[in-house]
Amino acid sequence: MGSKSNVKSSTISTMARPDIESGPWSEAAVSLLEARYLHRHEDGSYESIEDRFWNVALTIANVGLNYGETQDQVYEWATKYYHMMITKLFLPNSPTLMNAGKNNDLQMAACFVLPIEDDLASIFNTMRNAALIHQSGGGCIGSNSMVLTEKGPI
């Protein structure tokens, strides 16, 4: 269900994180981030909040390379995005925090509108796609059920 970027992941990891003051983060915030979003290393330690947010910022900004932006422009956008996250002005949705920069091919969107047509195959295909979206971290799913018609008594 995810969409792969055409940008190589090696581009992402080569840019140094800017030195922007972080936090302070409450104990509850750190616990939530560790439980849901931060990568747990083999030794039991977690990636830092700063590293997770920088990885997210770079992943999002790197898409600009597909549209003619330079490495310097990508770094500038990533820095702006990182600043908003690390200073708590903005946090992206859960799928973005969980999946950005992890090369796991999962989506970074939380809400979807799925097409549906007035036939059994389409209805079940929409249900299948909704299940796959939920399985990979998405949540809010909408579709236009107005196209479904009644075909006799149940």
Side-chain angles (χ1 to χ4, degrees):
M1 295 292 342
S3 63
K4 283 183 126 174
S5 171
N6 293 328
V7 178
K8 292 188 176 7
S9 60
S10 60
T11 305
I12 293 171
S13 62
T14 60
M15 295 182 181
R17 187 179 77 218
D19 188 23
I20 299 173
E21 191 169 326
S22 171
W25 297 93
S26 69
E27 188 176 320
V30 172
S31 292
L32 178 81
L33 288 166
E34 287 178 347
R36 296 188 181 180
Y37 307 112
L38 302 180
H39 173 73
R40 189 173 190 162
H41 302 292
E42 288 182 18
D43 67 2
S45 66
Y46 290 92
E47 75 178 318
S48 70
I49 294 169
E50 294 82 7
D51 286 345
R52 171 87 312 247
F53 286 2
W54 182 238
N55 208 356
V56 169
L58 278 174
T59 300
I60 300 304
N62 257 332
V63 174
L65 293 173
N66 294 333
Y67 298 95
E69 290 193 353
T70 65
Q71 288 278 344
D72 288 341
Q73 290 170 317
V74 165
Y75 184 81
E76 184 179 333
W77 281 112
T79 299
K80 289 177 183 180
Y81 193 42
Y82 175 75
H83 178 264
M84 288 190 299
M85 289 188 292
I86 209 68
T87 59
K88 304 176 197 167
L89 293 173
F90 171 79
L91 289 177
N93 61 29
S94 286
T96 300
L97 282 175
M98 284 186 280
N99 298 324
K102 291 186 177 177
N103 295 320
N104 58 14
D105 293 332
L106 298 177
Q107 83 269 355
M108 290 183 271
C111 299
F112 297 82
V113 176
L114 298 177
I116 190 168
E117 295 176 27
D118 192 17
D119 68 74
L120 195 58
S122 175
I123 293 167
F124 278 103
N125 190 49
T126 299
M127 291 173 59
R128 176 189 176 278
N129 288 337
L132 290 170
I133 289 168
H134 282 292
Q135 181 183 33
S136 60
C140 178
I141 299 172
S143 61
N144 182 8
S145 60
M146 296 299 289
V147 299
L148 302 178
T149 59
E150 179 182 348
K151 298 210 174 169
I154 296 180

